């Protein structure tokens, strides 16, 4: 029997869409405020997913499965606002790398929420991550721990909390379109007052230095919405075809490779040596945290 390559293909499409999502976000930060763009990033894909849900069979969360959706909605709001704020100040690759530190924070959150023991390797990886952040903060005149670096790390932390709550939501009987659609719509509702206040106080939906015309903005927003939906739907399809999520874990890091391609292709931005080393440390820490415990367990089993 030939190996089923569909999970790999679906996961690659998901990570490609995720990186494209970051690219669209980076471009649109030049046209929208963080609050308004955050609202649009939730409302547009939520509308698409709920329309898909309506065509396949309307599903409304009940009191048993609504709690994870509410908690996750608050988490994704915090994560996306921090990610967009980081995109405003950092390069695309730097922002994506900091956002991708989410898996490192999951054991810490599980310790705080469920009293799950933290392994020593996780603490070592967290130390490597913060060393990487400090290296990124370096410049020819010395060390400067910029707030946007911490904001980028906060995006990873909120993303981790979102994944912890998503695990519980995934155990419910809600289909992916319902779980993500209602979550994103609630997140849009949470952001609506903030986005409205920003528009009212600035008397404009767009920021003054908007570099795109109306038609191009619509194209970018539609592309953003489709890429977000694609990320969620194809990742769900990939996970359904494998027995464990760890089988596809290595492919998650292709998001960083795609982001690097977008940065080289679309932005005239170069990374200094200290930033490359810092990013490499963060990526290495995330990889070790993902595969290290399984390798240690395998070695112990082989020794016995």
């Amino acid at each position: 029997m030939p190996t089923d390559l569909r999970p790999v293909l679906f996961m690659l499409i998901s990570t490609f869409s995720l990186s494209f999502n970051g690219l669209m976000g980076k471009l649109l930060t030049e046209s929208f405020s963080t609050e308004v763009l955050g609202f649009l990033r939730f409302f547009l894909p939520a509308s698409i997913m709920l329309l898909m849900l309506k065509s396949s069979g309307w599903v409304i969360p009940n009191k048993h499965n609504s709690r994870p959706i509410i908690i996750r909605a608050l988490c994704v709001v915090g994560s996306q606002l921090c990610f967009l704020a980081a995109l405003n100040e950092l390069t695309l690759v730097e922002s994506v790398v900091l956002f991708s530190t989410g898996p490192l924070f999951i054991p810490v959150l599980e310790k705080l929420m469920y009293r799950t023991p933290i392994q020593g390797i996780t603490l070592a990886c967290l130390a490597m991550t913060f060393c990487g952040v400090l290296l990124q903060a370096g410049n020819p005149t010395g060390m400067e721990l910029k707030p946007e670096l911490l904001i980028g790390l906060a995006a990873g932390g909120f993303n981790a909390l979102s994944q912890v709550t998503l695990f519980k939501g995934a155990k419910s009987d809600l289909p992916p379109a319902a779980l993500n659609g209602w979550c994103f719509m609630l997140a849009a509702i949470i952001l609506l007052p903030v986005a409205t206040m920003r528009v009212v106080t600035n008397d404009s939906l767009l920021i003054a230095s908007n570099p795109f015309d109306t038609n191009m903005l619509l194209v970018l927003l539609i592309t953003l919405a489709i890429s977000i939906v694609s990320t969620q739907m194809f990742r769900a399809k990939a996970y359904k075809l494998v027995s464990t999520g760890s089988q596809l874990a290595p492919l998650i890091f292709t998001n960083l490779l795609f982001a690097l391609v977008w940065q080289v292709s679309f932005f005239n931005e170069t990374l200094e040596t200290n930033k490359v080393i810092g990013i490499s440390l963060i990526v290495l820490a995330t990889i070790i945290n993902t595969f290290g415990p399984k390798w240690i367990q395998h070695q112990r089993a082989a020794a016995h």
Side-chain angles (χ1 to χ4, degrees):
M1 292 291 290
T3 303
D4 188 358
L5 296 178
R6 289 179 300 165
V8 174
L9 178 60
F10 289 153
M11 197 65 177
L12 286 176
I13 295 175
S14 175
T15 56
F16 177 83
S17 299
L18 181 60
S19 70
F20 207 65
N21 171 6
L23 171 63
M24 293 297 104
K26 179 71 171 176
L27 293 173
L28 287 167
T29 53
E30 301 177 11
S31 302
F32 293 97
S33 67
T34 300
E35 298 85 353
V36 173
L37 182 55
F39 168 77
L40 294 174
R41 282 171 70 96
F42 291 127
F43 178 75
L44 295 177
S47 300
I48 294 175
M49 284 186 280
L50 291 180
L51 284 174
M52 292 168 55
L53 184 65
K54 184 172 177 59
S55 63
S56 60
W58 196 250
V59 179
I60 299 178
N62 55 41
K63 63 180 181 180
H64 298 293
N65 51 34
S66 59
R67 187 170 180 271
I69 291 178
I70 295 172
I71 296 175
R72 187 180 178 227
L74 293 171
C75 295
V76 296
V77 166
S79 178
Q80 289 302 311
L81 287 181
C82 290
F83 181 59
L84 290 175
L87 278 175
N88 259 323
E89 303 295 333
L90 302 174
T91 66
L92 177 60
V93 171
E94 286 177 308
S95 302
V96 170
V97 167
L98 292 172
F99 179 78
S100 300
T101 58
L104 286 169
F105 293 102
I106 290 178
V108 178
L109 293 171
E110 289 179 340
K111 170 67 175 179
L112 295 174
M113 297 169 65
Y114 309 120
R115 300 188 182 277
T116 304
I118 300 180
Q119 297 182 355
I121 192 172
T122 298
L123 295 176
C125 290
L126 283 171
M128 287 177 62
T129 297
F130 285 104
C131 287
V133 172
L134 290 175
L135 281 170
Q136 285 186 262
N139 57 59
T141 60
M143 190 74 68
E144 181 186 359
L145 191 58
K146 298 181 289 185
E148 48 267 28
L149 292 173
L150 299 179
I151 292 173
L153 271 182
F158 277 117
N159 182 41
L161 187 53
S162 168
Q163 295 302 312
V164 171
T165 54
L166 176 61
F167 178 78
K168 283 196 170 184
K171 299 300 182 182
S172 68
D173 56 355
L174 288 176
L179 182 62
N180 291 294
W182 289 116
C183 173
F184 278 37
M185 184 57 73
L186 179 57
I189 293 172
I190 293 171
L191 272 180
L192 181 58
V194 182
T196 303
M197 184 65 66
R198 181 59 183 260
V199 173
V200 171
T201 54
N202 287 272
D203 195 31
S204 175
L205 181 65
L206 303 176
I207 61 178
S209 59
N210 171 36
F212 301 112
D213 58 31
T214 303
N215 291 333
M216 180 56 69
L217 277 177
L218 287 175
V219 171
L220 292 176
L221 285 172
I222 292 172
T223 305
L224 174 68
I226 293 174
S227 68
I228 293 174
V229 173
S230 176
T231 299
Q232 301 295 328
M233 295 295 104
F234 280 102
R235 183 159 300 190
K237 286 178 178 290
Y239 283 139
K240 279 187 176 181
L241 294 173
V242 295
S243 56
T244 62
S246 61
Q247 292 178 250
L248 297 174
L251 296 176
I252 295 176
F253 298 104
T254 57
N255 173 37
L256 303 177
L257 299 179
F258 291 134
L260 181 60
V261 172
W262 299 137
Q263 178 164 315
V264 172
S265 303
F266 288 89
F267 305 103
N268 186 25
E269 297 171 335
T270 57
L271 292 176
E272 299 170 359
T273 303
N274 62 293
K275 294 184 182 295
V276 173
I277 297 174
I279 289 173
S280 300
L281 261 182
I282 295 173
V283 173
L284 179 61
T286 308
I287 293 174
I288 292 174
N289 185 69
T290 301
F291 301 107
K294 296 181 178 62
W295 182 81
I296 293 174
Q297 186 178 10
H298 176 74
Q299 293 297 111
R300 287 175 178 172
H304 292 291

